[in-house]
């Protein structure tokens, strides 16, 4: 695609429910990153994919968070048993290769947990 | 671990004036990149300018320029001739051998 696509754009869920956030990177980009941006805060790294593997998942805040990537393309970030503190914008970014300095970001998913 | 600090949560400037946003970082790496990203209300992060640490010359992109002081670990962004469209959150970021690390951001307001 022309850019990094994320869906849904906005998601409202009830506490305790599971949610799935999708990221469709730019075609051919092997590196994919998930970040979380809480209100008024900077971007917090969650996980990095190179191809389908995740060599760095050090930013996942708890075992309720997981992510996968299939076919070296689409990635899904899953949050189980959502809590109110999970409310944030979840941003996805991709780059051609890991050490390529230019990351292309999607517009994010605004997650609101009631 | 690398850290990035932006000490100005908010800044404002008159249209057509010049404004400087501050950023400091901490690292033990010798080879790295530094970036400034702009985040408008659309939420999409837009790369404004980047600097390779091995380059002594400060990067410039049209009205945007940086003052890179490697020894001081400082990387400020200067916006000249500020325009209303420059209003956004600005994030300083560092990337070495590992992931991209962001500062907390500076909200820039442009006063007409």
């Amino acid at each position: 695609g022309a850019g990094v696509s994320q869906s849904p754009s906005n998601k409202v869920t009830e506490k305790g429910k599971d949610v799935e956030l999708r990221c469709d990177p730019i075609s051919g980009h092997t590196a994919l990153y998930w970040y979380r941006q809480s209100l008024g805060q900077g971007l917090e790294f969650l996980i990095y994919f190179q191809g389908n593997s995740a060599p760095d998942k050090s930013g996942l805040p708890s075992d309720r968070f997981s992510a996968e990537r299939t076919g070296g393309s689409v990635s899904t970030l899953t949050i189980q048993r959502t809590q109110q503190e999970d409310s944030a914008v979840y941003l996805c970014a991709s780059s051609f290769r890991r050490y390529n300095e230019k990351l292309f970001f999607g517009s994010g998913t605004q997650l609101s947990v009631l | 671990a690398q850290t990035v600090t932006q000490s100005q949560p908010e800044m404002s400037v008159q249209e057509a004036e010049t404004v400087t946003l501050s950023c400091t970082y901490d690292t033990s790496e010798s080879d790295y990149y530094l970036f400034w990203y702009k985040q408008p209300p659309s939420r999409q992060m837009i790369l404004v300018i980047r600097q390779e640490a091995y380059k002594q010359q400060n990067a410039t992109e049209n009205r945007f320029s940086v003052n890179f002081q490697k020894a001081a670990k400082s990387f400020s962004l200067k916006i000249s001739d500020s325009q209303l469209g420059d209003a956004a959150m600005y994030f300083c970021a560092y990337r070495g051998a590992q992931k991209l690390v962001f500062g907390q951001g500076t909200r820039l307001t442009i006063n007409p």
Side-chain angles (χ1 to χ4, degrees):
Chain A
V4 178
S5 177
Q6 290 189 246
S7 61
S9 179
N10 292 280
K11 176 71 177 179
V12 180
T13 190
E14 293 180 351
K15 178 181 173 182
K17 299 284 189 183
D18 298 351
V19 295
E20 286 189 351
L21 312 180
R22 175 188 169 104
C23 173
D24 198 345
I26 292 172
S27 179
H29 281 193
T30 61
L32 186 147
Y33 304 78
W34 283 98
Y35 285 85
R36 178 169 71 175
Q37 184 179 20
S38 301
L39 185 64
Q41 300 296 311
L43 275 71
E44 174 190 7
F45 168 80
L46 297 178
I47 188 169
Y48 153 67
F49 285 93
Q50 182 61 40
N52 290 338
S53 63
D56 187 352
K57 53 180 77 171
S58 61
L60 294 178
S62 74
D63 59 7
R64 296 186 295 104
F65 287 72
S66 63
E68 66 174 12
R69 189 179 184 193
T70 56
S73 181
V74 173
S75 176
T76 303
L77 177 68
T78 301
I79 308 173
Q80 296 178 311
R81 305 181 302 282
T82 53
Q83 303 295 312
Q84 288 184 333
E85 61 263 29
D86 300 335
S87 297
V89 174
Y90 290 81
L91 288 164
C92 175
S94 70
S95 67
F96 183 65
R97 60 181 185 273
R98 180 181 182 179
Y99 291 104
N100 184 301
E101 68 276 10
K102 185 163 186 177
L103 264 64
F104 293 82
F105 282 83
S107 296
T109 294
Q110 172 72 64
L111 175 66
S112 299
V113 182
L114 304 179
Chain B
Q2 293 79 27
T3 58
V4 178
T5 302
Q6 293 178 249
S7 59
Q8 306 155 316
E10 296 183 352
M11 291 283 285
S12 63
V13 64
Q14 290 296 126
E15 190 177 5
E17 297 290 307
T18 295
V19 63
T20 298
L21 308 184
S22 301
C23 173
T24 59
Y25 59 96
D26 186 27
T27 184
S28 58
E29 297 177 307
S30 58
D31 187 19
Y32 52 87
Y33 291 90
L34 295 163
F35 309 87
W36 278 98
Y37 279 88
K38 171 184 177 181
Q39 187 182 42
S42 67
R43 300 197 304 241
Q44 189 166 27
M45 300 284 281
I46 301 166
L47 179 64
V48 173
I49 198 166
R50 76 170 192 263
Q51 174 81 42
E52 293 90 340
Y54 64 86
K55 289 187 177 179
Q56 294 185 339
Q57 186 174 7
N58 289 324
T60 299
E61 288 287 343
N62 300 314
R63 297 182 296 106
F64 299 87
S65 62
V66 299
N67 183 3
F68 174 46
Q69 301 290 326
K70 191 172 184 178
K73 295 189 172 71
S74 171
F75 183 63
S76 60
L77 174 70
K78 185 171 80 172
I79 307 174
S80 303
D81 186 24
S82 299
Q83 300 176 1
L84 295 178
D86 295 333
M89 283 290 289
Y90 285 82
F91 292 95
C92 178
Y94 167 101
R95 188 178 63 74
Q98 301 297 325
K99 53 188 172 281
L100 193 62
V101 178
F102 288 86
Q104 305 93 321
T106 297
R107 181 173 301 281
L108 178 64
T109 302
I110 311 295
N111 300 313

